[in-house]
């Protein structure tokens, strides 16, 4: 499976995979845009469907968490026909790799 990183530069043209549509999806995209400057990372499958991971440094997580130096996984979702193919493992490995590249300790799950 190939994955695409959603960024400020491509978010308006890309699907964000959530179970939202219309105004909710637009609100989610605006929320994501504000979080990119805080270190939010969002990867989704190139194939359209619900297969994505969204994580951020714990210092900028939207929930109260004491875990400085870690990454907080806000959402990991693999559903429907995407299930059962190891895609969640791919996404988690990518997150752990990202944590190491950033000098982080590891990840904290929501």
């Amino acid at each position: 499976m190939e994955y695409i990183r959603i960024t400020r530069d491509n978010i308006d043209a890309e699907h964000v995979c959530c179970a939202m549509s219309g105004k909710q999806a637009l609100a989610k995209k605006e929320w994501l845009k504000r979080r990119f400057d805080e270190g939010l990372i969002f990867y989704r499958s190139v194939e359209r469907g619900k297969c994505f991971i969204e994580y951020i440094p714990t210092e900028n997580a939207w929930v109260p968490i004491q875990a400085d130096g870690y990454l907080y996984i806000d959402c990991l979702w693999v559903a429907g026909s995407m299930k059962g193919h190891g895609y969640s493992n791919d996404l988690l490995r990518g997150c752990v790799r990202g944590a190491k590249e950033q000098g982080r300790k590891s990840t904290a799950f929501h």
Side-chain angles (χ1 to χ4, degrees), residues 12 16 18 22 25 27 29-31 40 46 52 58 66 69 71 74 77 80 82 87 91-92 101-102:
D12 290 327
V16 293
C18 291
K29 284 185 173 187
E30 290 304 314
W31 182 85
L40 180 108
V46 169
F52 70 96
T58 53
Q66 293 292 329
L71 288 178
D74 181 41
W77 193 355
M82 303 277 192
Y87 302 145
L91 293 166
L92 283 171
E101 289 169 359
Q102 293 180 29

Side-chain angles (χ1 to χ4, degrees), residues 95-107:
C95 180
V96 171
R97 188 173 44 253
K100 289 178 182 177
E101 289 169 359
Q102 293 180 29
R104 300 240 159 222
K105 296 172 186 171
S106 190
T107 58

Side-chain angles (χ1 to χ4, degrees), residues 6-8 11-12 16 18 20 22-42 52-57 60-64 72-76 110:
I6 305 298
T7 67
R8 178 182 307 285
I11 192 168
D12 290 327
V16 293
C18 291
M20 301 176 183
K23 290 181 182 180
Q24 289 178 321
L26 293 175
K28 172 70 178 198
K29 284 185 173 187
E30 290 304 314
W31 182 85
L32 289 168
K33 287 177 187 178
R34 291 190 305 273
R35 303 287 87 79
F36 289 137
D37 289 339
E38 298 172 351
L40 180 108
I41 306 292
F42 188 109
F52 70 96
I53 190 167
E54 175 185 314
Y55 56 91
I56 193 166
N60 297 325
W62 61 276
V63 297
Y72 174 77
I73 298 173
D74 181 41
C75 193
L76 170 63
H110 171 54

Side-chain angles (χ1 to χ4, degrees), residues 2-7 10 14-15 42-47 51-53 91:
E2 289 185 52
Y3 301 93
I4 184 172
R5 182 171 173 178
I6 305 298
T7 67
N10 66 5
E14 296 292 342
H15 177 65
F42 188 109
Y43 279 99
R44 71 162 177 84
S45 61
V46 169
E47 183 178 328
C51 180
F52 70 96
I53 190 167
L91 293 166

